[in-house]
Amino acid sequence: MTTPQHPPFPPHGPRRGPNAEEGDGRAAGHAPVGAHGASYGHGAGEGHGADGGHNAGGGHGHSHAHSHGPAAPVSRHLRKVIAAILIPFAAAVLVGLAVLWPGGAPPHERTGVGFDRQTQQATVTKVVQLSCQSVNASGGTPTGDTSTAEGSSAVRQATGDCKRATIRVDTGEGKGRTFDEIVQPDQSRQLHEGQKVVVAYEPSAPKDLQYSVTDINRRLPLALLAGVFALAVVAVGRLRGLMALVSLAISFLLLNFFILPSILQGSNPLVVAVIGSSAIMLIALYLCHGLSARTSVAVLGTLISLLLIGVLGSLFIGWAALTGNTDDNTGLIHGLYPSIDMSGLLLAGVIIGSLGVLDDVTVTQTSAVWELHEADPTMGWRGLYRAGIRIGRDHIASVVNTLVLAYAGAALPLLLLFSIAQSGVGTVANSELVAEEIVRTLVGSIGLVASVPVTTALAALVVSADRPANRPVRAVGAAPGADAAAPARGRRGRRRKR
């Protein structure tokens, strides 16, 4: 029997399997194919001949190259240019944090109004049902118009069944003390035995009136929901999800220990918001996406968009004469700290509120351009920009809709009040309370829309300015100065850090 003879090393075409290298600098091309053999030269390696010895890359052997360490997709010169912009910016942010860092919120005498009250934790120990007429001071049954909300409520309070809840204080100086709370039948917050509640404490009031229930204790369900959220993020995002949670925690720390106390200390809210937002942006982006040229481009796009939002917000808040003092909470802040610029506080809120969505848009656009370049390294910056902007248009449509619906959802009770009053669209929009939300939404949306072309253009310019895949790579065993015949493009393989 004769055995068919096969060439020991048949010629190979370009590798396209999952282990093939990408055309981004690691696989620059094939060296010329010798007799019955192929030489793959994409780094330093050794050729192993058929006889077990080492071959220089020709003859009957393969020359395998192994790249050691990732190569950046942009040149050292471009990395220096990016660093020359971002390092001074980061240094300025650090200086601003050091100069404006507060020693804590300034103390003040509690007013006992709204959130400015001492609170303690308590538990409902007993609930007894009884007639409302026996506990209300009104006496007789009202005979007024029951078609109105006030008249209907008065009838229910006079003829309905109320509850007497006994509350035990669990924290503070009065721990263990009990008091009674009457719950009316039309009250939105009904109490039941064993329920955890929050009580307000006013030491200057008469002893039997020092405590009153202000809210339900929701710490357990909120903590459980936060735990489920954290598990979901880590389970899907793995290490990157964990880094996102760490950056989220750092953002809350900066908000609570720098931005809010600095504003209360009398610092300019706009300056504080710019410095705090910049610090959050740098930490979140680099922590989640790594220290790379791609992340740096996203940082630059976010920074330019934030500057645009700041300029437009300052212009239109001043032009529309928005004071930022539109409800009880802002009125209480202004009363306690008259030195705070409330319109500046409104502008600071616009900047901080836009930052989270801006990060999403700029990172997505930068990643899209980088991936387009890897798919086709021959594409110039104009082609990359056109392809990236097509992706960005879809992103713009969804993000703007998200912002508008988010603000509409938050202001839904207010919109219902205007609907009940049958106010016209012009009247509703002209009120300061709604005009604030309109300016906030539109200024933030303009910044988001602008971030797409700005970030796409920056990414296209940076990623196309230098092409490591075009650099000729010498095959192993070739004479010094000898280059590969043709650079390989579009190969697939393991991704390197970019």
Side-chain angles (χ1 to χ4, degrees), residues 129-139 153-163 182-186:
Q129 191 166 338
L130 69 165
S131 171
C132 290
Q133 193 169 8
S134 64
V135 295
N136 290 332
S138 55
S153 176
V155 170
R156 285 196 299 272
Q157 291 181 16
T159 61
D161 291 329
C162 294
K163 296 177 182 178
I182 300 299
V183 182
Q184 301 293 338
D186 59 343

Side-chain angles (χ1 to χ4, degrees), residues 113-156:
V113 178
F115 291 103
D116 192 36
R117 291 180 288 184
Q118 297 185 45
T119 58
Q120 303 294 342
Q121 306 301 314
T123 304
V124 180
T125 59
K126 186 172 65 173
V127 176
V128 178
Q129 191 166 338
L130 69 165
S131 171
C132 290
Q133 193 169 8
S134 64
V135 295
N136 290 332
S138 55
T141 303
T143 57
D145 186 8
T146 58
S147 62
T148 63
E150 293 81 1
S152 177
S153 176
V155 170
R156 285 196 299 272

Side-chain angles (χ1 to χ4, degrees), residues 364-374 384 388 455-456 459-460 463:
T364 301
Q365 286 303 115
T366 306
S367 297
V369 172
W370 241 262
E371 295 300 328
L372 288 168
H373 173 70
E374 289 193 1
L384 288 171
T455 308
T456 305
V463 80

Side-chain angles (χ1 to χ4, degrees), residues 82-83 85-91 93 277-307 355 358-367 370 451 454-456 458-459 462:
I82 294 173
I85 298 173
L86 290 181
I87 289 178
F89 169 68
V93 171
S277 299
S278 300
I280 291 172
M281 172 186 66
L282 291 171
I283 293 172
L285 288 180
Y286 283 117
L287 190 61
C288 293
H289 304 286
L291 189 64
S292 64
R294 177 160 66 176
T295 307
S296 299
V297 171
V299 169
L300 287 174
T302 305
L303 176 61
I304 294 171
S305 303
L306 279 178
L307 291 175
L355 178 61
L358 271 178
D359 287 351
D360 172 54
V361 173
T362 55
V363 169
T364 301
Q365 286 303 115
T366 306
S367 297
W370 241 262
S451 70
V454 168
T455 308
T456 305
L458 285 173
V462 170

Side-chain angles (χ1 to χ4, degrees), residues 154-202:
V155 170
R156 285 196 299 272
Q157 291 181 16
T159 61
D161 291 329
C162 294
K163 296 177 182 178
R164 177 186 286 118
T166 302
I167 316 294
R168 184 191 67 237
V169 180
D170 296 332
T171 59
E173 296 179 358
K175 182 178 180 180
R177 181 176 164 185
T178 61
F179 66 96
D180 290 338
E181 180 98 358
I182 300 299
V183 182
Q184 301 293 338
D186 59 343
Q187 193 170 317
S188 59
R189 183 178 59 241
Q190 296 292 315
L191 302 179
H192 57 81
E193 190 171 335
Q195 190 173 28
K196 301 293 184 180
V197 293
V198 178
V199 296
Y201 173 58
E202 178 52 60

Side-chain angles (χ1 to χ4, degrees), residues 430-441:
N430 190 66
S431 65
E432 183 172 1
L433 197 58
V434 177
E436 272 190 12
E437 300 303 325
I438 292 175
V439 170
R440 193 195 311 270
T441 303

Side-chain angles (χ1 to χ4, degrees), residues 97 100-102 251-265 267-269 271-280 345 348-349 352 355:
L97 288 172
L100 296 178
W101 193 270
S251 299
F252 273 112
L253 289 176
L254 283 172
L255 183 65
N256 287 320
F257 292 100
F258 172 71
I259 295 178
L260 299 180
S262 295
I263 293 175
L264 292 178
Q265 291 281 11
S267 299
N268 188 302
V271 175
V272 171
V274 169
I275 293 175
S277 299
S278 300
I280 291 172
L345 187 63
I352 295 173
L355 178 61

